Amino acid sequence: MVDGKDDKDELQGADEDKRAESQEVAEKSEQSSQTATSDEKAPSDETSDTEKTSDSDETGDKATDKDAGKDETESEASSDADSLQQAEPLSASINDTGEVKAPKSARQAIEPDTPPPPPTRSKAVRHPIVVFMNFIITVLLLCVLAIGGLLYYGKQTFIEEGPLKQEKTILVSGGTGLGTIAEILERQNVISDQTIFNYGVQIYRQDTKLKAGEYLFSPGVSMMQVMQILTSGKSILHSVTIPEGYTSYQIAQVLDENDILVGSLKELPAEGTLLPETYKFSRGTTRQEMVERMADAHQRAVNEIWSRRSPDLPLKTKEELVTLASIVEKETGKASERTRVAGVFINRLNQGIKLQSDPTVIYGIFGGQGKPKDRPIFRSDLDKKTDYNTYLIPGLTPGPIANPGRASLEAVANPSRTKELYFVADGTGGHVFSETLKQHNDNVRRWREIEKQRIEAQKQAGEAAPAEPTAIEEKPAE
């Protein structure tokens, strides 16, 4: 009896130990949410507890039938609790912050987690100075982007085809500024935007290189090409032709009648100081500038020709070369006769014979204005005493009687080598040359016959005949 009671007490103590162990397992499961170590040991503890439970069950089997039934009922309840715990295995995880999360059942593991709240902004980021600096940087970035876009657009517009549909001439006067030029070009539809053209020329640093003049722009010309045309100075060129043998007075008249030239001459140029040629000039050129160009061209030509003249000429200065060339220029208009006519005058100067040139007589009477076309030369004119009448004065005239061309200057510097002393018109626009007075007189008689026939033909045609037979081509011997 004593032994049975002790066994009963022993079984009751074992049951209390199992309940304490089960309670301890539950407490460890709750603590596993705070430490990873506890979470890892939880399955081991459960295994241990199960083993202990099994050991206790084996011990309980040795008890008495009465107590065994009671213990078996309590053991089954404890085993059911352990089975429920093993049916839903616990799992632990670590979140982003390193915190160990509580173990979840299989059902809880598949449910989505609540996302963590966004991190709070730093106080330094919300500082007014930082906010202001961010604003300034944003504004600057936008400005840079805007300026870049404008520059790209401006460059594309500057180099692309312009709006001009047909050729147009634009006159840029001297002293006109870039802004005015751009305004004129836009108004004439040569460019599409004067502002872009203005800034474009300044960016390329060509604003101080624009030249005055008259420019021709082709259809579709771009702003870039317009700038290049204006800086090149290649404006439209006009021309003026000064005939050889014109006097300075006649040249001044030609310049005055040109409506493209501007301004007036300061004074009438000296006779024989201008070179007759065709000159190119741009609109806006002054008449004084044209005279200066002619004078420079004359001086260069005379210096060049004088340097390679024949060494035995009876001419001492460049001025005498020009004077004799002016007489040769007025005596003949045929280029093939110039050296021959020059040779006749050189031979006369060498032999001391008067030149007896009718153009010198005309200049002495009428000056640079010239003889009227309907006024003939009379015998009395040849006897009129003037400083330029080579029928009366020996040698050369005091100065040129016209402005000779380059060909006449060349002819005098290098005349034909002949013995001819006379020449007279042949009635066809040329002259007949002779070495002796007899040959010359025969030539004069033939010329008079030709002249007589011409006068009769004029009368038959109803034209007015000269009041007195002209003697301009007669060359009486000394």
Side-chain angles (χ1 to χ4, degrees), residues 17-29:
D17 291 337
K18 287 189 286 185
R19 285 194 294 271
E21 288 176 357
S22 299
Q23 185 177 0
E24 183 178 357
V25 170
E27 290 176 356
K28 287 183 179 181
S29 297

Side-chain angles (χ1 to χ4, degrees), residues 299-319:
Q299 192 63 43
R300 289 194 302 270
V302 170
N303 291 337
E304 177 188 346
I305 294 170
W306 178 258
S307 64
R308 45 188 174 81
R309 69 189 184 282
S310 296
D312 56 349
L313 293 179
L315 305 173
K316 298 178 181 179
T317 64
K318 299 175 187 177
E319 288 72 23

Side-chain angles (χ1 to χ4, degrees), residues 276-321:
E277 277 185 353
T278 297
Y279 292 90
K280 299 288 186 179
F281 65 94
S282 58
R283 186 179 293 273
T285 302
T286 65
R287 295 178 174 85
Q288 185 62 36
E289 289 174 344
M290 290 300 301
V291 167
E292 292 172 358
R293 284 179 59 188
M294 294 178 191
D296 291 341
H298 168 83
Q299 192 63 43
R300 289 194 302 270
V302 170
N303 291 337
E304 177 188 346
I305 294 170
W306 178 258
S307 64
R308 45 188 174 81
R309 69 189 184 282
S310 296
D312 56 349
L313 293 179
L315 305 173
K316 298 178 181 179
T317 64
K318 299 175 187 177
E319 288 72 23
E320 289 182 350
L321 174 71

Side-chain angles (χ1 to χ4, degrees), residues 80-284:
D80 292 338
D82 292 340
S83 299
L84 290 175
Q85 291 180 358
Q86 291 177 1
E88 294 183 12
L90 300 177
S91 62
S93 61
I94 302 175
N95 59 16
D96 295 339
T97 60
E99 181 181 356
V100 178
K101 299 174 65 175
K104 298 181 178 180
S105 65
R107 181 179 298 175
Q108 292 174 338
I110 63 176
E111 293 180 355
D113 295 334
T114 303
T120 57
R121 297 179 62 188
S122 172
K123 292 183 178 180
V125 175
R126 299 194 299 271
H127 196 280
I129 296 178
V130 175
V131 174
F132 177 74
M133 292 302 297
N134 289 338
F135 171 76
I136 294 297
I137 292 173
T138 302
V139 171
L140 290 177
L141 181 59
L142 292 176
C143 290
V144 169
L145 293 176
I147 293 173
L150 288 175
L151 290 176
Y152 178 79
Y153 171 76
K155 182 179 179 181
Q156 291 299 115
T157 306
F158 196 73
I159 63 177
E160 70 183 9
E161 183 176 314
L164 191 61
K165 300 301 181 183
Q166 59 184 2
E167 288 187 347
K168 182 161 291 189
T169 301
I170 302 295
L171 175 63
V172 179
S173 304
T176 306
L178 173 59
T180 305
I181 294 175
E183 182 180 353
I184 294 173
L185 292 172
E186 183 180 14
R187 188 167 60 247
Q188 296 295 328
N189 205 38
V190 177
I191 61 175
S192 58
D193 193 313
Q194 60 175 302
T195 302
I196 293 178
F197 179 78
N198 200 329
Y199 282 111
V201 172
Q202 293 183 58
I203 290 173
Y204 281 97
R205 298 182 180 180
Q206 300 295 311
D207 50 313
T208 59
K209 299 180 181 180
L210 303 181
K211 296 179 176 62
E214 185 180 15
Y215 298 94
L216 178 65
F217 298 103
S218 57
V221 63
S222 67
M223 295 188 192
M224 173 72 79
Q225 293 171 328
V226 170
M227 179 188 71
Q228 293 171 345
I229 292 172
L230 293 176
T231 55
S232 68
K234 296 179 180 179
S235 59
I236 297 176
L237 295 180
H238 304 272
S239 62
V240 58
T241 299
I242 306 300
E244 296 171 334
Y246 264 34
T247 64
S248 295
Y249 177 85
Q250 292 171 324
I251 292 176
Q253 281 188 317
V254 172
L255 298 180
D256 287 339
E257 292 171 0
N258 190 296
D259 56 357
I260 299 177
L261 294 170
V262 298
S264 57
L265 297 177
K266 298 177 181 178
E267 58 183 1
L268 191 65
E271 202 71 78
T273 60
L274 308 177
L275 184 66
E277 277 185 353
T278 297
Y279 292 90
K280 299 288 186 179
F281 65 94
S282 58
R283 186 179 293 273

